[in-house]
Amino acid sequence: MEWWSAALAFIGAGVGSLVSYLVARRDIAQREAEARADVGQRVEQGHLEEWGRRFTIALDGVSSESPRRRSLSRVLLVELGQSALATDQEKALVLSVLDAGARMDGDGDDVTRFRAGMLVDEVVYVEDTGEDDDEGGVP
Amino acid sequence: MKDKLVVKVTRDQIQSARALIEFAGGEDKVDPVIVRIARAQRPPRQARTAS
């Protein structure tokens, strides 16, 4: 009967080791999954922060004194606004900024608003090239 | 005779209007006045004679 108890002890030890191994393996897999999720979250957070930094630069650039910087900032603003990282609120902000930029002249006046009671049949928009001509601008 | 009002717009306004159209997804998605600003024409240059 002695060999039975030895065999049972051996089997018991084997089963115990197997259970310990499986538990440890599950624990490690769980930790790895958590670590991967954490890294993914950090990467996403990093992308969001970088997007926000660029978005701020683009917004700042559209009111720059430099025409080149203004142009590049507009391109950047459109690209960032079309990104999947942009929220609806930020997209609405891009629309508002571009809309205001299209309507406001160099003095900050809205060229699409005319004096009340002004009667004209046709409004023609022409590019201001800085050259004087006979036709006037916005009254 | 038709009364025509000529409104001068800057290069920045034209570029903003074009960017807005692109961002909005087409000319039909924005105010028609934005489309007209985006299509603003350069005034015809006066003929210059070389001396």
Side-chain angles (χ1 to χ4, degrees):
Chain A
M1 288 300 271
E2 272 187 18
W3 70 272
W4 272 109
S5 60
L8 281 174
F10 179 76
I11 291 169
V15 169
S17 298
L18 182 65
V19 169
S20 296
Y21 168 73
L22 291 175
V23 168
R25 193 174 150 183
R26 193 189 64 181
D27 192 39
I28 289 169
Q30 194 175 355
R31 283 185 193 174
E32 280 179 352
E34 283 172 4
R36 270 198 300 272
D38 190 40
V39 168
Q41 204 171 7
R42 283 185 193 180
V43 167
E44 192 178 344
Q45 185 66 28
H47 286 161
L48 266 175
E49 283 174 9
E50 182 61 22
W51 183 92
R53 194 179 67 80
R54 291 176 183 173
F55 192 69
T56 306
I57 290 171
L59 277 178
D60 187 45
V62 291
S63 59
S64 165
E65 290 293 320
S66 160
R68 180 177 160 80
R69 189 171 173 213
R70 287 199 299 271
S71 294
L72 291 172
S73 294
R74 269 191 292 271
V75 172
L76 184 59
L77 202 59
V78 170
E79 289 295 322
L80 291 170
Q82 289 172 335
S83 161
L85 295 173
T87 63
D88 289 343
Q89 194 179 4
E90 287 150 351
K91 286 178 181 176
L93 180 63
V94 174
L95 284 173
S96 297
V97 168
L98 293 176
D99 187 78
R103 291 173 192 272
M104 283 197 302
D105 64 11
D107 298 326
D109 295 325
D110 188 341
V111 300
T112 62
R113 288 190 179 177
F114 307 110
R115 283 186 192 142
M118 197 174 173
L119 294 173
V120 287
D121 297 309
E122 188 183 3
V123 179
V124 178
Y125 290 93
V126 296
E127 183 179 345
D128 186 1
T129 56
E131 296 172 4
D132 289 334
D133 54 16
D134 295 335
E135 292 174 309
V138 180
Chain B
M1 186 180 169
K2 280 189 167 185
D3 287 328
K4 189 167 81 171
L5 175 68
V6 177
V7 178
K8 286 183 175 181
V9 290
T10 63
R11 189 83 199 135
D12 273 314
Q13 288 178 270
I14 296 169
Q15 287 181 351
S16 289
R18 289 175 182 168
L20 179 57
I21 290 167
E22 183 193 339
F23 187 74
E27 293 184 346
D28 57 325
K29 303 283 195 317
V30 298
D31 188 337
V33 77
I34 297 295
V35 178
R36 294 172 71 185
I37 291 172
R39 292 179 179 173
Q41 299 291 314
R42 278 179 163 259
R45 281 177 172 271
Q46 289 176 345
R48 289 176 184 159
T49 52
S51 56

